[in-house]
Amino acid sequence: MTPTSPPPTSGLPRRRLPKWLKVTIIAFLVVANLAALGLYWAISTGRNVLAGAATDTGVVDVLTAPSGDALYFLVVGSDSRAGLADLTNFGPAGGERGDVIMLVRLDSSTGTARILSIPRDLWVDIPGHAKGKINAAYAYGGPALMVETIRQNLGIPVNHYVEVGFTGFIAMVDQIGGIELDFPYPARDASSGLNVAAGNQVLDGKTALAYARSRKYQELQNGSWVSVEANDIGRTKRQQEVVGAILRSLKRPSSIAEAGQIASAVSRHLTIDANLASSSVAGLAWNFRRLLSGQFDATTLPVDLATIGGASVVLAREPDASAAVADFLTGGGTARPLIGVQVLNGNGIGGSAGRVAQQLEEAGFAVLSIGDAKNKDYATTTIMVPEGSTAGQIIRDDLGFGTVITGEIDAAFDAVVIVGADVS
């Protein structure tokens, strides 16, 4: 691909895959796996789980006709307020942006999927609007301009379009019966509308969204409201907790019928292109039935941090970006599935679990939870994984220490890392 901006980036720090993007990928994997189960349900029942989705006819004109064994989906998470009855804590419904941008490649010959995530601040040429951040394409011209921008700058064809907004998130949480989170103190955020009591709480969709969006988070400690991580970093951690809670609540539906019903209900809050709406969903499900195993490869476009016109942006890092796109288009490369990890302090040394968690995040793992182990007498860091999993050895190789064992762990995580006395 051609570099999207001429300013030099030499000497600038390389931008790590941000936590919000890791979390987004995990959330998509959960929904995608649920959708695969739902599509399989469609084969058994003859019902179309996408029948309730809204359709976009305008984007059809810029979509590429499918060819070969691969299908390419553009998945956009927008900050659309459409469908929200109460906008008190959300602001106006106009000016929507594409805050999450993912390309998904489904290969019918292997039944596998690959995900290429595009940072929303990627500096690109937007057709008809000069240069700008890629998420601005959605604000300028909606799905159609976003598709054109992807094709022009990355050379990736888009066969289908899927979008979900705030309402879809709320619906998903409500459909699974809410999520459980533990609050050490009463908490609030007047801007996002959060207001919860202390203790273990079951949050409905709207409250879960208020928690995930909170940038002015406060806790009632010793009779006074205290700001706690009231910034974007704190918000990222809260989003991480919400996704972990969704995983714990969802886990695996008890039956294919239940999965289909959930997927069907969630589809009512999706927007899809008109071609996908009229396609044979049952046939699509049969081609990709192997996705039920949940095996996805996920990576992100390599970028570097830069400043243009006083604004923070990211620039495609070459030749890495072109290589990542080429791997995505061919289904090649060595991208590994994102691994969700719980890190527990097993040595009683304050901060040791946090340090290991940071090391894992920098290595590309998704740390979904940090806490304390029941026992604090672990001499060696222990990595527990389910039987048959290769995640333990991958973590061991990246950390450079630890012992891998098999055992039963919470289905929300791929591995549990218990930090031992070998970490100070």
Side-chain angles (χ1 to χ4, degrees), residues 364-386:
F365 298 94
V367 177
L368 301 178
S369 174
I370 302 175
D372 293 322
K374 291 182 179 179
N375 299 322
K376 298 294 193 303
D377 55 358
Y378 281 81
T380 303
T381 296
T382 301
I383 305 165
M384 182 177 293
V385 295

Side-chain angles (χ1 to χ4, degrees), residues 70-406:
L71 277 177
Y72 296 90
F73 289 73
L74 173 58
V75 180
V76 171
S78 79
D79 64 356
S80 170
R81 279 79 163 157
L84 291 174
D86 182 5
L87 296 174
T88 303
N89 299 107
F90 294 92
E96 296 124 26
R97 296 160 298 177
D99 276 357
V100 176
I101 305 167
M102 288 181 290
L103 290 156
V104 181
R105 182 184 191 273
L106 300 180
D107 190 333
S108 62
S109 65
T110 60
T112 57
R114 293 178 65 85
I115 297 172
L116 177 65
S117 293
I118 310 301
R120 64 177 185 174
D121 290 342
L122 181 67
W123 192 250
V124 295
D125 286 305
I126 302 176
H129 297 273
K131 291 184 180 294
K133 296 180 180 181
I134 195 168
N135 71 331
Y138 184 96
Y140 290 145
L145 187 56
M146 179 67 83
V147 170
E148 287 187 280
T149 302
I150 292 286
R151 183 172 59 242
Q152 176 173 305
N153 288 271
L154 301 178
I156 298 175
V158 176
N159 307 131
H160 291 295
Y161 177 83
V162 179
E163 178 185 323
V164 62
F166 283 162
T167 307
F169 175 87
I170 292 173
M172 182 174 71
V173 174
D174 286 341
Q175 188 65 35
I176 62 177
I179 60 173
E180 289 188 21
L181 286 176
D182 187 62
F183 293 84
Y185 304 96
R188 71 180 185 183
D189 183 333
S191 294
S192 72
L194 179 69
N195 188 2
V196 295
N200 191 61
Q201 305 293 335
V202 177
L203 308 186
D204 62 13
K206 187 173 181 179
T207 306
L209 181 59
Y211 182 71
R213 294 179 62 240
S214 175
R215 295 186 188 183
K216 300 178 182 178
Y217 187 77
Q218 292 183 315
E219 293 179 342
L220 183 59
Q221 300 181 11
N222 301 319
S224 299
W225 286 103
V226 178
S227 294
V228 178
E229 295 184 313
N231 49 37
D232 282 340
I233 295 175
R235 183 179 67 162
T236 299
K237 292 181 179 179
R238 288 182 279 276
Q239 291 172 346
Q240 199 170 37
E241 291 173 11
V242 167
V243 171
I246 290 174
L247 286 162
R248 289 191 293 274
S249 295
L250 183 61
K251 291 187 178 178
R252 185 179 299 274
S254 59
S255 68
I256 287 179
E258 181 186 354
Q261 290 160 6
I262 294 174
S264 182
V266 171
S267 76
R268 292 196 294 269
H269 302 281
L270 298 176
T271 296
I272 60 177
D273 67 87
N275 288 346
L276 182 58
S278 62
S279 67
S280 172
V281 177
L284 183 67
W286 181 254
N287 287 338
F288 299 106
R289 60 194 180 279
R290 277 183 253 177
L291 293 181
L292 294 174
S293 65
Q295 294 301 308
F296 294 82
D297 284 336
T299 190
T300 189
L301 188 75
V303 294
D304 287 312
L305 180 65
T307 300
I308 296 179
S312 295
V313 302
V314 295
L315 303 178
R317 181 196 308 146
E318 295 296 352
D320 299 349
S322 291
V325 170
D327 286 341
F328 177 75
L329 288 171
T330 60
T334 57
R336 71 186 182 205
L338 192 70
I339 297 174
V341 181
Q342 181 183 42
V343 181
L344 301 177
N345 186 320
N347 61 20
I349 302 172
S352 60
R355 288 189 289 275
V356 171
Q358 182 178 358
Q359 183 176 346
L360 288 169
E361 286 175 344
E362 291 175 350
F365 298 94
V367 177
L368 301 178
S369 174
I370 302 175
D372 293 322
K374 291 182 179 179
N375 299 322
K376 298 294 193 303
D377 55 358
Y378 281 81
T380 303
T381 296
T382 301
I383 305 165
M384 182 177 293
V385 295
E387 187 172 354
S389 171
T390 60
Q393 192 57 49
I394 294 173
I395 295 170
R396 168 66 179 77
D397 291 344
D398 275 45
L399 284 177
F401 58 88
T403 300
V404 180
I405 65 172
T406 60

